[in-house]
Amino acid sequence: MGAGRRWRDGPGELVVHGGVTGGTRVPLEIATSYRARTRGLLGRDAVEGAMLLSPANSVHTFRMRMPIDVAYLDRGLTVIAVRTMRPGRLGMPRWRARHVLEAGAGVMAGWGLRAGVRVEVRDVAGRPG
């Protein structure tokens, strides 16, 4: 992410770097406004791909219907930690985190998303951020 780069609410693409293919591409929903971040995945039964909350350094799963994987990202979009959270939980804030990815429980491992991996976020026009 370039200095001062700002995304807008809406569709995008997550690219998980590394692995044999050089990068896994995942549909992404970007939530940067207060309203979109607050709503997040609340009230949903499933999520296609992932959701990026930015800025964010913690999440909760109160009023969620499903367990989720949560990845905490630093300023450079490197994964700090990945956790699976059941509904009704409060995640601890990560002081280095600037962004949080949410997805269905268990899918992030399949994408190769783990601590130390760098990701790329592309907006709807395909521009890297």
Side-chain angles (χ1 to χ4, degrees):
M1 180 172 95
R5 174 74 170 138
R6 297 219 182 253
W7 300 293
R8 294 184 182 196
D9 291 349
E13 180 180 59
L14 176 71
V15 181
V16 180
H17 292 284
V20 179
T21 62
T24 301
R25 299 176 187 283
V26 177
L28 184 67
E29 187 175 333
I30 301 170
T32 59
S33 69
Y34 176 78
R35 182 181 188 132
R37 288 190 327 262
T38 301
R39 181 156 190 263
L41 297 177
L42 296 177
R44 297 188 191 190
D45 292 320
V47 59
E48 180 182 337
M51 175 175 274
L52 174 73
L53 306 174
S54 180
N57 69 355
S58 68
V59 295
H60 68 83
T61 57
F62 299 119
R63 297 185 1 235
M64 283 200 181
R65 298 178 181 172
M66 62 185 175
I68 60 171
D69 280 352
V70 177
Y72 299 89
L73 309 176
D74 69 11
R75 187 180 314 275
L77 300 182
T78 298
V79 178
I80 298 168
V82 178
R83 300 286 180 260
T84 300
M85 293 177 63
R86 295 190 326 246
R89 302 288 187 244
L90 177 63
M92 296 299 294
R94 304 284 174 155
W95 65 271
R96 286 182 35 229
R98 298 294 178 268
H99 319 281
V100 175
L101 284 170
E102 296 179 337
V107 301
M108 288 186 179
W111 300 338
L113 207 60
R114 62 188 178 285
V117 170
R118 197 180 72 75
V119 300
E120 182 180 345
V121 173
R122 296 180 178 168
D123 64 17
V124 69
R127 294 183 302 252

